Structures are given as C-alpha cells and as structure tokens.
Amino acid sequence: MPKNAANPGEFTLSSPVRSFVRTTVRVMARPKSYFRSIDPRGGFAAPLVFALVCSAVSAPLGALLSPYDPLGPRGSALAPEVPAGWLAETSTAAGALLVLFVALVVLLLLLLGIYVGAGVCHLLVLLFASGRHAGFNATFKAYAYSSAASLLSWVPVAGYAASLYGIYLLFTGLRGLHGMPPTRAALAVAPLVALQLSSLIAIFS
C-alpha cells in the first residue's frame, strides 16, 4: 500500500502543490478528523517542508503589512530605514549575493525555530502525558501541521485570532496523535496560550 494511501489528506512531497492545499483545508476546517486519520510515525521531511512553506508565506507578508496593523507596534525597530542611494551604490552581483545570504539566514532561522518549537512542545508532552505518548515524530507532526494557521497570521488584526487558532490546532494535534486526554493536552499547550495572551494584553494596554 502506498505510504499516503490510508491518509489522503496528509502532505506528501510526491505531490507538493495539490497535497499542500488539501492538507491546509483539512487541518483548518476539520482538525479533529485530520489528526486522527494520519500516522503519528513517519519521517520529518514532509511535515518540515509544510511548516517551512507556511512560514515562508506568512513571514514576509507579516513584515510588509505590519505598518498597517492598527494594533501592532510602531517605530523603526521592525522596519529599519535603508540609507538613501544604498541600492544604487550596490552592484548587481553584490546585491544578489546579499539577497541570497539573507534568504539562507532566514531559512536557517525558520528551520531552527520549527525544531526548537517542536522540541519545547515535546518536553511539555513528556511532562503531562504520564508516560503514554507516540514519540517526538507525533509532536513534530502536530506542531508542523498546526502552522497552517500562520497562513492567516499576517492579516492585520485578524492575525491575532489566527495565532490563537493555531494553538487550538496544536492542542487538537496532540490529542489526536498522542491519544492524550483533553486536560493533559490543554496543560501541554497552556504555556503557549499564556504567552499569546500576554502579548495581546501588552498590545491592548
């Protein structure tokens, strides 16, 4: 049986565009059935690529639209000014190398962020799962596929709700893939909820 035959909604590198759209729709619209249907085992490549694509879409859009978010922070810290004439004084080759270097650094940071985030989440799973869990692969899948919500996190104002929905997706993923009771899964994501709520309180205050 093909690897994804039993799980037609899971992202696969053999059909990246179609399965990405299908996975995103299922995760966002029917997270409970989605996480219960996929295999908690498997490699890291497909969910990692899925999370990277979501981050690669949301990060630049969020940076571009952050000045238009009425609830977002103001100032030049998020968007430092480029000196006048800098682009004109930079050669085409040097500019291309700089863009490539920045892209590689951003890619490495995104990779690191995904693995660190999944690692922290799995530590919380180990703490609250009471010895019964499906391993780091399951946590990684839950964390990676819950990043589908970040595809909407760049939208001004509505992005805050999308971020909270992403935590709900992670909660649902941990329940479905690890078989965790609701209370224990809620405890595992509680620090993320507290962090998100603290950020919102700081913004509105």
Side-chain angles (χ1 to χ4, degrees):
M1 180 180 293
K3 187 175 182 179
N4 278 9
N7 306 311
E10 188 169 0
F11 177 70
T12 173
L13 297 177
S14 62
S15 178
V17 177
R18 181 178 298 178
S19 64
F20 182 86
V21 174
R22 183 177 58 210
T23 298
T24 302
V25 171
R26 288 196 64 196
V27 171
M28 296 291 285
R30 294 179 293 170
K32 291 183 180 179
S33 63
Y34 176 76
F35 284 113
R36 287 174 181 170
S37 69
I38 67 174
D39 190 347
R41 301 165 297 176
F44 296 99
L48 175 61
V49 170
F50 181 88
L52 280 175
V53 172
C54 292
S55 299
V57 170
S58 62
L61 288 174
L64 287 173
L65 294 178
S66 61
Y68 305 99
D69 187 350
L71 303 179
R74 301 296 178 184
S76 59
L78 293 179
E81 294 183 1
V82 177
W86 179 83
L87 291 176
E89 296 172 1
T90 303
S91 66
T92 303
L97 288 175
L98 180 61
V99 170
L100 178 60
F101 174 76
V102 171
L104 289 175
V105 170
V106 171
L107 177 61
L108 289 175
L109 290 176
L110 291 176
L111 282 169
L112 181 63
I114 293 169
Y115 273 102
V116 169
V120 171
C121 186
H122 191 61
L123 289 177
L124 294 170
V125 169
L126 294 177
L127 181 62
F128 295 109
S130 187
R132 300 181 60 183
H133 59 85
F136 179 67
N137 284 25
T139 302
F140 191 85
K141 282 192 172 185
Y143 188 87
Y145 290 130
S146 67
S147 66
S150 69
L151 293 172
L152 299 177
S153 65
W154 55 270
V155 181
V157 182
Y160 300 108
S163 297
L164 291 174
Y165 188 64
I167 297 176
Y168 169 74
L169 293 180
L170 179 59
F171 161 80
T172 306
L174 294 179
R175 284 195 62 196
L177 294 173
H178 285 295
M180 297 177 68
T183 303
R184 294 186 180 275
L187 289 173
V189 300
L192 298 177
V193 175
L195 181 63
Q196 188 67 31
L197 291 178
S198 299
S199 301
L200 291 176
I201 291 173
I203 290 172
F204 285 107
S205 61

